Amino acid sequence: MINWEELKHIHVIRKLEHVLANWFRTEIFFVDERGKVQNYDPLDRQREFKNPVCAALLPHERARELLMGAVAEANEKALASSQPSFVVDGPLGVEKGYVARIAVDGEFLGCVYAYCFQETVASGDAIQRARASLESLGIVGDRVQDALRGLTTLSGNDKKYFFELVELVAQEIVTFHTEITKREERITALSDQLGTRYSYDSMIGKSKPMQEIYSLLDKIKSSESTVLIQGENGTGKELIAKAVHFNSPRKDGAFVTVNCSAFNENLLDSELFGHVRGSFTGAVKDKKGLFEQAHRGTLFLDEIGDMTLSMQVKLLRVLQEGTLIPVGGVEQRKVDVRVLAATNKDLKGMVEEGLFREDLYYRINVINVVVPPLRDRKEDIPILLDHFLVRGCKEKAIPLKTFAKRALEKIYDYTWPGNIRELENEVERLIVLSGDDPRVSADALSPRIRDHGGNAKVQGVRVSGKLKDALEELEKTMIREGLRRTKWNKSRLAKELGISRAGLIMKVEKYGLDKRKITGGRPDGGGQAA
Ligand SMILES: Nc1ncnc2c1ncn2[C@@H]1O[C@H](COP(=O)(O)OP(=O)(O)OP(=O)(O)O)[C@@H](O)[C@H]1O
Ligand SMILES: [Mg+2]
């Protein structure tokens, strides 16, 4: 479908309309594929028509309907026609219209209808008949005279130019429609790439690191590779593992989770690989392991960093050979399982210390997802908060609560060592504790959050004396605290403070905040960070 609104503003088309109106005294109508005129609004009484017949017909309802009917009919002709343009008779019998089809890739999208002119000067009889039809439509007096006398007669080169110009309008519409469509496609493609997504499956988050995770998850949708998910406690590793499985070709297979830290070595062995009857005390019958339960599905090895070295060997063998031997068994069994693993430990560091097998590390770390802690993506806090609040209130079937501004500030400032899980639990707790109160106040927050000073707040800034001194003091404190917090990462701090790195370095020198002085000595007077 053509965006007719946008076309109205296109300069070339306006120019052509202008020329056709002023030189040939004809009106141009844009007609859509259903025969509706798109650039004429009967309610627009201001519009003036250079064409005398339009000026006579259009203000009168019945006459207008007659003309619009003729336009729709011409459009039907255009739809059926193999000609790109042609002349049609006008509704009064003396005048003509010129029609140029609009089609893109063989699809009929409407026409341009130019109205009206005559090819030869009309006979007295014809004029008489036209006068009669005008009068029967309720158009009388000077208007009739003007309309019929003002008819443009086109012949020879004039007619040829006129036709060419009308065809040009149709061509320009096609060109711009194609351009606009291309542009829109480009915009959609770009916004798909850059667009902010607020969620992915049940994961919420719009921060840059989350966007990166979403786009990585999109990329690995059809992959069979193992994925290692790393991140602190409660950052959402399990949620990511589920998203990987449920978006993969194995989504109809089982998703089986095993928490490797929950078992001692022997138990984990039989959990994972199963056992045969009598293989140890208590093994009263054959038992299928989780690997076999996850056949054609996904096995999620949570806390893989807690697996002992000898279990790591067994796991590696299954991953490499696709076969396993149950505890106490002799026969190999084939399994088709995709493995996902998660840990909050520094596996790489464990490899270096000899606590994790390097070969297994590389085998599971084919695709690596690092989930940043909540304190590094604070912009996600508001939507997470909202999400948990709405969900919690819905679950309890109570009216939706809101947070007091002060409570929100406190929540925002807190460092959330327990990440999303901690935030989730806090919201849950607040919903319960605030009872019938529709507003959650800061007082209701857990003490650790309520009493947390917030590293973004600087207290003790002087409120008297010269403004310049006070500002410098504040600036110095913010930079000093910022340097500590970012572990002297000046690029990051400069970004946070919204200044250039060079600007930050100059200020660090100005205030004597270089690393040796700070780490060696005590904070030197001025504002005290809470
Ligand atoms: N992005 C998110 N959006 C919404 N809820 C989330 C998000 N991330 C985590 N959660 C919720 O937070 C809780 C903890 O998430 P999950 O269990 O996936 O974290 P984890 O990294 O596996 O934690 P742990 O290291 O403690 O095992 C879950 O209830 C989960 O639903
Ligand atoms: Mg987990």
Side-chain angles (χ1 to χ4, degrees):
M1 267 217 320
I2 289 181
N3 184 341
W4 301 100
E5 252 331 289
E6 193 154 350
L7 278 177
K8 283 179 203 163
H9 307 292
I10 288 171
H11 186 68
V12 186
I13 295 176
R14 293 186 69 130
K15 214 68 228 174
L16 285 167
E17 275 185 278
H18 188 77
V19 169
L20 285 161
N22 285 287
W23 290 7
F24 300 97
R25 310 224 316 155
T26 51
E27 196 61 38
I28 294 293
F29 294 116
F30 300 162
V31 190
D32 72 14
E33 71 281 9
R34 289 159 309 160
K36 188 171 182 322
V37 172
Q38 290 282 340
N39 61 338
Y40 163 63
D41 173 12
L43 298 176
D44 177 8
R45 304 262 174 223
Q46 306 297 323
R47 180 148 165 194
E48 283 180 14
F49 297 98
K50 282 270 155 78
N51 179 268
V53 181
C54 283
L57 293 180
L58 290 173
H60 292 261
E61 193 180 337
R62 275 168 55 217
R64 182 165 64 235
E65 277 168 11
L66 181 75
L67 178 56
M68 292 298 133
V71 172
E73 211 173 289
N75 195 59
E76 297 230 330
K77 253 193 188 163
L79 169 66
S81 174
S82 53
Q83 303 279 60
S85 50
F86 47 87
V87 176
V88 286
D89 288 331
L92 301 178
V94 276
E95 72 326 357
K96 309 265 175 201
Y98 192 67
V99 178
R101 292 178 97 230
I102 305 170
V104 175
D105 297 332
E107 187 192 357
F108 178 74
L109 296 174
C111 72
V112 173
Y113 183 83
Y115 186 77
C116 61
F117 60 96
Q118 53 186 359
E119 288 180 305
T120 48
V121 178
S123 67
D125 273 1
I127 294 283
Q128 240 357 80
R129 281 196 302 275
R131 187 189 303 273
S133 22
L134 282 170
E135 282 168 358
S136 75
L137 292 165
I139 302 162
V140 288
D142 287 354
R143 283 271 173 170
V144 178
Q145 267 330 64
D146 291 349
L148 297 177
R149 263 203 227 119
L151 269 180
T152 314
T153 309
L154 289 176
S155 59
N157 269 345
D158 277 357
K159 190 160 97 176
K160 193 175 134 224
Y161 292 144
F162 170 74
F163 287 177
E164 278 175 7
L165 285 173
V166 179
E167 283 155 23
L168 197 55
V169 176
Q171 274 168 31
E172 286 298 330
I173 292 179
V174 169
T175 307
F176 280 100
H177 173 67
T178 316
E179 287 270 308
I180 289 167
T181 314
K182 259 199 230 137
R183 195 179 70 203
E184 278 167 359
E185 277 165 8
R186 216 160 41 228
I187 291 171
T188 327
L190 276 177
S191 53
D192 275 357
Q193 281 166 29
L194 305 172
T196 310
R197 276 205 258 172
Y198 288 75
S199 60
Y200 192 104
D201 290 1
S202 50
M203 255 176 290
I204 310 282
K206 65 178 173 97
S207 58
K208 190 151 174 279
M210 289 311 283
Q211 299 290 327
E212 281 165 9
I213 289 177
Y214 300 161
S215 94
L216 177 65
L217 292 181
D218 271 345
K219 276 190 210 134
I220 62 173
K221 263 186 184 157
S222 53
S223 146
E224 281 282 317
S225 312
T226 52
V227 179
L228 177 63
I229 306 160
Q230 291 179 283
E232 290 180 12
N233 285 329
T235 43
K237 297 186 291 294
E238 187 160 348
L239 228 46
I240 290 177
K242 283 185 181 150
V244 171
H245 168 75
F246 287 106
N247 287 293
S248 79
R250 293 175 176 263
K251 62 178 182 292
D252 297 323
F255 177 79
V256 178
T257 301
V258 54
N259 185 332
C260 303
S261 68
F263 301 95
N264 69 31
E265 179 165 344
N266 292 334
L267 273 179
L268 183 61
D269 200 354
S270 106
E271 263 315 294
L272 281 179
F273 309 118
H275 58 245
V276 295
R277 210 180 112 205
S279 53
F280 54 87
T281 331
V284 286
K285 53 181 177 182
D286 284 5
K287 185 183 170 237
K288 266 194 183 172
L290 295 175
F291 257 106
E292 280 177 279
Q293 287 179 30
H295 186 58
R296 301 229 165 85
T298 304
L299 181 65
F300 175 44
L301 298 171
D302 205 359
E303 316 291 357
I304 198 167
D306 291 340
M307 204 179 248
T308 60
L309 282 164
S310 54
M311 277 305 291
Q312 291 173 25
V313 180
K314 291 191 180 177
L315 175 61
L316 185 64
R317 199 180 53 222
V318 186
L319 290 180
Q320 278 171 345
E321 289 158 24
T323 57
L324 56 83
I325 305 171
V327 177
V330 280
E331 252 170 77
Q332 296 214 338
R333 297 187 189 169
K334 257 199 117 40
V335 282
D336 167 20
V337 171
R338 180 191 196 180
V339 167
L340 309 177
T343 181
N344 54 16
K345 296 203 167 146
D346 170 19
L347 277 197
K348 190 95 210 292
M350 287 177 70
V351 168
E352 275 152 27
E353 286 173 50
L355 298 170
F356 201 87
R357 291 187 62 103
E358 189 169 18
D359 43 10
L360 179 61
Y361 175 72
Y362 288 112
R363 186 63 193 72
I364 57 170
N365 193 17
V366 179
I367 293 162
N368 185 261
V369 182
V370 178
V371 206
L374 190 53
R375 64 181 170 281
D376 288 347
R377 47 177 168 120
K378 287 205 160 192
E379 61 267 50
D380 286 341
I381 290 180
I383 53 171
L384 282 165
L385 205 57
D386 210 47
H387 168 71
F388 294 136
L389 186 70
V390 170
R391 196 185 63 188
C393 292
K394 233 186 227 162
E395 273 169 13
K396 297 193 171 45
I398 54 171
L400 186 61
K401 292 174 187 279
T402 54
F403 284 97
K405 189 161 166 279
R406 186 91 193 96
L408 286 177
E409 282 171 9
K410 288 279 179 192
I411 290 171
Y412 201 79
D413 285 344
Y414 184 60
T415 48
W416 299 104
N419 293 298
I420 319 241
R421 181 178 298 108
E422 188 183 5
L423 180 72
E424 193 177 12
N425 292 342
E426 180 67 15
V427 176
E428 172 93 353
R429 182 183 159 277
L430 288 168
I431 293 174
V432 173
L433 289 188
S434 58
D436 291 338
D437 198 341
R439 239 164 66 104
V440 179
S441 74
D443 294 337
L445 292 168
S446 297
R448 67 181 186 289
I449 302 164
R450 187 188 57 215
D451 303 334
H452 181 82
N455 52 13
K457 298 268 178 312
V458 177
Q459 282 153 16
V461 171
R462 63 165 97 182
V463 287
S464 57
K466 284 218 169 60
L467 180 63
K468 183 170 167 284
D469 295 341
L471 288 178
E472 282 191 345
E473 209 168 82
L474 178 67
E475 187 172 73
K476 181 175 174 184
T477 313
M478 282 176 73
I479 293 175
R480 190 181 52 222
E481 291 312 314
L483 285 169
R484 277 215 187 97
R485 183 164 34 85
T486 60
K487 303 203 169 56
W488 268 265
N489 183 335
K490 291 198 184 107
S491 308
R492 196 177 123 200
L493 179 59
K495 220 189 226 166
E496 281 182 22
L497 295 172
I499 57 177
S500 70
R501 190 168 184 277
L504 176 64
I505 290 170
M506 267 165 56
K507 286 183 197 292
V508 167
E509 263 168 34
K510 172 178 164 191
Y511 295 128
L513 293 174
D514 58 62
K515 196 168 182 172
R516 275 158 302 145
K517 282 190 194 162
I518 294 292
T519 45
R522 320 210 102 260
D524 45 349
Q528 201 77 20

